Amino acid sequence: MSIGFYSVDVKDYDGEAANHRFYTTVLTAANWAAQATARGDYNVALSAIILGTVQRQRYGIRTKVSRAAASDALAQRELKMLVQYHDDSTGEVMKPLLLPCPDLTNLDPADRSHFNIGDGDVIDAFVTAFEAYIIANYSHAVVIDELTLVGRRL
Amino acid sequence: MSTLEGQYTVDWKDYDGEPTSTTFPVAALTAANFDAQEVLRAALQSALDAILLGQIQQYEQANLIVDSVSAPDDPLAQRELAIRVNYVDGTALKPHRTEIPCPDLTNLDSNARAYFAIGDGDVIDAWVTKFEAYALSEDGNAVEVQNMILKGRNL
């Protein structure tokens, strides 16, 4: 089930943050322009009744999939896959991402702290999909450097 | 000047039901790239499902606009004050509420001093019109504003 949402962060006189949010129409390509108009109109009307400064607006689509816990006992958020990648245009190293509950059967037997890139299996499929969708610095393509198993400090 | 960026956020639960999430930087959604971005998102999510053992709970595709980092100049802008907006699902009549921080108290109704003045044709009415045009209930139905009350911290 999908629902649209709109969220506004407001700062007050002493710089304290507050938030205002509600549900909206699910965005589509067809209703994009109409929703952009409604959002803009709303924001103008909101600014006319508050004294705080709008800091950030966040809008989009939320899709609920499940409320169940994972069925595999090896699914533990204490384990993460550290995704290190860089901006393919500038070479800038980007802030790493952490993916929870990695399947450890995909670790590289020849390099046991890293996930196996280059064997043509599911990790490679992830790398391809990641590099196609994720961007750096608003528009640049990215390249994954390595995928490392990390966890809590012992 | 404002900035616009896209975000893809996935929430999971692990085996003992603990929540965890990751937000990926992606291209901002537009009418022109909307369908193509959905294809890329679905491909990444499918690839994530293949390498992670957590149970996905929900995901969000969002645009984030950063408008300002400045605090307002008016000392009456205080987040300790808020408008509590009570509204209902116009179809199911289910009640909802949202809160708006830092209200301008000059819009309070002089005849009902805890409430903001609905019906005088001024900025509160304009806000109600725009809110009802844009907001939906959790079930996806149009909404109707019932009243707008000044609230603060408990004394």
Side-chain angles (χ1 to χ4, degrees):
Chain A
M1 179 194 134
S2 295
I3 186 82
F5 66 88
Y6 179 65
S7 170
V8 186
D9 292 339
V10 175
K11 208 178 252 187
D12 76 358
Y13 184 66
D14 42 328
E16 295 172 317
N19 177 263
H20 164 53
R21 60 184 178 272
F22 52 85
Y23 295 113
T24 65
T25 299
V26 176
L27 288 166
T28 65
N31 72 15
W32 189 271
Q35 285 298 301
T37 299
R39 183 174 60 252
D41 289 349
Y42 178 76
N43 202 31
V44 170
L46 177 68
S47 295
I49 67 168
I50 64 172
L51 300 175
T53 304
V54 172
Q55 303 292 298
R56 309 194 313 173
Q57 302 171 65
R58 191 166 183 271
Y59 61 93
I61 309 157
R62 180 176 303 143
T63 302
K64 294 184 178 179
V65 178
S66 171
R67 299 180 68 178
S71 57
D72 191 325
L74 298 177
Q76 296 294 338
R77 70 171 179 174
E78 287 75 9
L79 293 174
K80 309 278 191 189
M81 179 189 295
L82 179 73
V83 181
Q84 292 171 288
Y85 64 106
H86 66 269
D87 183 322
D88 194 29
S89 299
T90 66
E92 179 185 355
V93 175
M94 307 310 298
K95 183 181 176 185
L97 295 172
L98 289 168
L99 301 179
C101 310
D103 183 345
L104 302 191
T105 63
N106 295 315
L107 284 168
D108 187 339
D111 181 9
R112 295 183 171 185
S113 65
H114 293 96
F115 291 88
N116 201 348
I117 297 177
D119 66 349
D121 205 350
V122 289
I123 293 293
D124 285 342
F126 162 74
V127 170
T128 300
F130 183 95
E131 292 178 348
Y133 186 37
I134 307 310
I135 60 168
N137 297 313
Y138 301 109
S139 62
H140 297 161
V142 302
V143 175
I144 286 183
D145 298 313
E146 57 185 13
L147 303 168
T148 310
L149 174 64
V150 297
R152 287 183 170 169
R153 288 184 178 168
L154 299 177
Chain B
M1 182 191 143
S2 62
T3 62
L4 171 66
E5 64 184 71
Q7 295 180 333
Y8 171 54
T9 301
V10 186
D11 296 339
W12 291 273
K13 268 185 191 169
D14 73 0
Y15 184 67
D16 42 330
E18 294 172 315
T20 176
S21 74
T22 301
T23 296
F24 303 88
V26 299
L29 285 170
T30 67
N33 74 8
F34 192 92
D35 293 337
Q37 285 297 109
E38 172 56 19
V39 171
L40 295 174
R41 184 208 61 76
L44 177 61
Q45 190 157 309
S46 176
L48 288 170
D49 285 343
I51 64 170
L52 304 178
L53 300 175
Q55 170 64 52
I56 185 170
Q57 303 295 297
Q58 65 176 22
Y59 60 88
E60 285 184 357
Q61 302 148 271
N63 281 355
L64 174 67
I65 302 171
V66 178
D67 293 302
S68 171
V69 293
S70 303
D73 295 328
D74 192 331
L76 297 178
Q78 296 293 340
R79 70 167 181 178
E80 286 73 11
L81 295 173
I83 303 173
R84 189 174 73 202
V85 181
N86 292 311
Y87 61 101
V88 296
D89 178 320
T91 303
L93 305 181
K94 188 171 160 185
H96 293 74
R97 71 171 55 164
T98 184
E99 292 192 359
I100 302 172
C102 307
D104 182 346
L105 302 190
T106 62
N107 295 313
L108 284 169
D109 188 336
S110 56
N111 296 311
R113 296 185 171 184
Y115 292 82
F116 289 84
I118 296 177
D120 64 352
D122 206 348
V123 289
I124 293 292
D125 285 347
W127 179 86
V128 170
T129 300
K130 300 306 180 188
F131 180 78
E132 291 180 348
Y134 187 37
L136 293 180
S137 72
E138 196 173 7
D139 297 324
N141 298 319
V143 300
E144 295 172 13
V145 172
Q146 300 296 292
N147 52 45
M148 300 169 66
I149 305 171
L150 175 63
K151 71 173 285 284
R153 287 182 170 168
N154 288 333
L155 300 177

